Amino acid sequence: MLIRNATLPDGRQRDVRVRGESIAEVGRDLDASDQHVIEATGKRLFPGMIDAHVHFRQPGYPHKETWESGSRSAAAGGVTTIVDQPNTDPPTIDGESFDQKAEFAADSVVDWGINGGVTADWIPNVLLRRRLFALGEVFLADSTGDMGIESDLFADALEAATDNDVPVTVHAEDADYFNDDAKARDDADAWSAFRTAKAEAEAVERACTVAKEHDATIHIAHTSTPEGVDIASEAEMTTEVTPHHLLLSRRDLSELGTFGRMNPPLRREKRRQKLYERVVDGTVDMIATDHAPHTREEKDASIWDAPSGVPGVETVLPLLLAEARDPDSGLTYERVRDLTARNPADVFDLPQKGAIEAGKDADLVLVDTTETSEISGAALHSKCDWTPFEGYDAVFPEWTMVRGAVVYERGDALDAADTTAQEDVFYDHQGENVRGADSERLE
Ligand SMILES: NC(=O)N[C@@H](CC(=O)O)C(=O)O
Ligand SMILES: [Zn+2]
Ligand SMILES: [Zn+2]
């Protein structure tokens, strides 16, 4: 198959030849005889996004999301690899729970990784020898699933993971710095007042210190403050930022209400802007969504009762591409590529992923950045039919390819001239564990 005359993120126009599961060749005027040709003139081709932080909810909460619905949502958003977090039921903390989740993951149309969690009951020697993507998110405070742990256990877990060459990702909040005064309030902003910016900064600082003591590196999940990013970056640790912390602030809570409750919470507009600057200037390593679906019914509760978390896997790349269209944002298409593909592949050691180069997996997304459309929760493919980005401008993929197989085609992109809405199409495809097949499991 030949994708002809696509514009790459750096602006070069190239043909891309896909053979089997891989990119065979990237060049100009490649021979197209005997080839299925996809015409891409005027369109941009991106490496598929690696979203290192999603919650697909199976086993345990299939009414919120399943591997099928979550991975379709990912594919429709141009995400070709996802990494699932351990706060499912049962939590992913031992061999059995890992294997059970891996069976659910067989429903995924995109490639995947499974993270392992740490609780008092975890079985490190077994868990760390599975084909684990990373240990994490290790919860330094309670979030959905109440998996918060004490400092001593964190240090032990870090040591065990590092001994087994397993990366560690950390949910860094410290409940000692939560502001109990906020509990007297019942407006949506009370959650942001409660889980303070200082609680994040302190936890990042402590986690980085423990990591240095153990000669280990850690990756800080969903950093929501410029302070947290700076502390981690000065300690030479890596960070991710979610689309909601990048684009939303406490100002938006009057509209979002309890649907805007997540951990860590939305911050003040000034902090959001400083976080954005760090995403633009390269201090932040990657964007990851923390896709945390909950139903409308669940979210429609008091601020102290609503579950924490917002969906995001389908809207993240479309939102970033819309940002990159605007030269004033400072975010370039190249930077978007780095934040969504190159850097996560680098940080988490996925040499086969993250770039449009000969020899890499053919994980590709074709977009038309000359136009935007408005995000509508009802049109998304997640079981979660709402989004905090309702009405935002976005650039959705025309199609998404995983290891050489087109897994998703947008209905209205099939025949642009025909405006009678056509159905989006998903093609059968079995996503694979990016850490290798089960049968190759190490002893
Ligand atoms: N971020 C959230 O607010 N919620 C996540 C858990 C987490 O990532 O902390 C969830 O699983 O619902
Ligand atoms: Zn978290
Ligand atoms: Zn999370």
Side-chain angles (χ1 to χ4, degrees):
M1 175 186 335
L2 191 74
I3 303 161
R4 187 154 55 191
N5 203 28
T7 304
L8 302 184
D10 60 12
R12 287 177 305 150
Q13 283 169 3
R14 289 292 183 273
D15 299 342
V16 176
R17 193 189 310 283
V18 174
R19 199 174 281 136
E21 300 192 348
S22 311
I23 296 169
E25 215 179 341
V26 180
R28 309 186 78 145
D29 302 320
L30 297 184
D31 176 26
S33 49
D34 291 343
Q35 294 258 297
H36 172 57
V37 173
I38 300 180
E39 186 52 54
T41 299
K43 313 266 171 82
R44 286 181 190 269
L45 191 68
F46 277 78
M49 178 168 174
I50 300 164
D51 186 349
H53 192 140
V54 307
H55 298 264
F56 278 177
R57 307 298 192 201
Q58 258 183 320
Y61 312 98
H63 69 284
K64 295 179 196 269
E65 197 77 291
T66 62
W67 279 81
E68 186 187 2
S69 61
S71 69
R72 284 182 169 212
S73 188
V79 174
T80 51
T81 298
I82 61 90
V83 180
D84 191 59
Q85 305 301 310
N87 57 337
T88 40
D89 184 17
T92 316
I93 53 168
D94 55 22
E96 235 171 288
S97 53
F98 179 93
D99 296 344
Q100 187 189 4
K101 185 172 281 187
E103 276 174 34
F104 282 109
D107 293 342
S108 180
V109 298
V110 299
D111 283 351
W112 49 271
I114 291 176
N115 276 3
V118 180
T119 66
D121 301 324
W122 77 308
I123 307 187
N125 294 337
V126 177
L127 183 65
L128 293 168
R129 287 185 182 85
R130 288 295 194 274
R131 293 208 164 259
L132 206 58
F133 186 85
L135 190 69
E137 54 184 299
V138 179
F139 290 92
L140 300 186
D142 275 345
S143 186
T144 308
D146 295 339
M147 290 173 72
I149 59 165
E150 300 298 326
S151 309
D152 290 356
L153 185 50
F154 174 57
D156 292 348
L158 188 58
E159 201 169 312
T162 304
D163 285 349
N164 285 278
D165 282 324
V166 173
V168 176
T169 75
V170 179
H171 178 127
E173 289 184 284
D174 184 338
D176 287 349
Y177 296 89
F178 289 174
N179 175 12
D180 286 328
D181 293 348
K183 286 200 165 152
R185 293 167 48 184
D186 62 2
D187 58 312
D189 183 72
W191 194 251
S192 293
F194 175 55
R195 294 181 84 118
T196 61
K198 187 163 174 62
E200 175 172 285
E202 292 289 338
V204 172
E205 174 93 56
R206 181 160 60 87
C208 291
T209 304
V210 176
K212 291 224 144 170
E213 281 166 9
H214 289 79
D215 223 6
T217 55
I218 54 174
H219 173 77
I220 310 289
H222 47 49
T223 27
S224 63
T225 61
E227 294 91 336
V229 167
D230 290 346
I231 293 165
S233 145
E234 275 155 35
E236 293 176 9
M237 307 295 162
T238 55
T239 56
E240 71 193 28
V241 164
T242 68
H244 44 278
H245 292 117
L246 183 68
L247 299 174
L248 304 172
S249 69
R250 287 170 78 164
R251 280 185 188 173
D252 295 292
L253 288 168
S254 50
E255 281 260 327
L256 291 171
T258 56
F259 287 71
R261 176 179 144 167
M262 81 288 285
N263 301 326
L266 295 180
R267 305 300 185 188
R268 290 190 194 286
E269 176 61 16
K270 273 243 169 64
R271 278 209 168 83
R272 181 196 72 82
Q273 287 170 12
K274 288 186 174 157
L275 194 67
Y276 199 114
E277 283 168 20
R278 284 155 176 76
V279 166
V280 168
D281 73 18
T283 313
V284 170
D285 296 277
M286 69 188 78
I287 302 290
T289 61
D290 194 11
H291 178 78
H294 299 284
T295 66
R296 278 176 192 279
E297 294 69 35
E298 290 163 339
K299 288 296 262 187
D300 191 11
S302 88
I303 191 63
W304 300 106
D305 294 330
S308 299
V310 297
V313 74
E314 189 166 343
T315 48
V316 58
L317 188 60
L319 283 165
L320 291 171
L321 294 172
E323 290 290 297
R325 272 168 47 93
D326 173 9
D328 293 337
S329 73
L331 211 57
T332 61
Y333 292 111
E334 280 178 285
R335 186 82 192 110
V336 170
R337 171 203 63 197
D338 291 351
L339 288 161
T340 59
R342 180 183 284 195
N343 294 354
D346 210 40
V347 166
F348 290 110
D349 194 22
L350 301 171
Q352 77 276 30
K353 302 276 190 209
I356 302 178
E357 286 166 15
K360 303 275 182 190
D361 285 353
D363 295 346
L364 300 167
V365 186
L366 192 73
V367 295
D368 180 352
T369 54
T370 62
E371 286 181 328
T372 60
S373 59
E374 276 186 20
I375 293 176
S376 145
L380 300 176
H381 301 81
S382 165
K383 280 207 177 182
C384 193
D385 63 350
W386 61 273
T387 163
F389 302 109
E390 188 73 31
Y392 275 58
D393 283 340
V395 178
F396 283 98
E398 298 204 345
W399 52 255
T400 302
M401 180 185 288
V402 179
R403 276 180 294 106
V406 171
V407 296
Y408 167 79
E409 251 174 338
R410 201 177 75 219
D412 65 356
L414 293 173
D415 180 0
D418 182 0
T419 49
T420 57
Q422 299 187 43
E423 293 282 308
D424 295 343
V425 184
F426 292 95
Y427 298 92
D428 277 340
H429 180 74
Q430 184 138 42
E432 286 180 359
N433 186 348
V434 292
R435 291 290 187 226
D438 232 21
S439 55
E440 302 160 14
R441 192 182 301 151
L442 303 170
E443 284 313 305

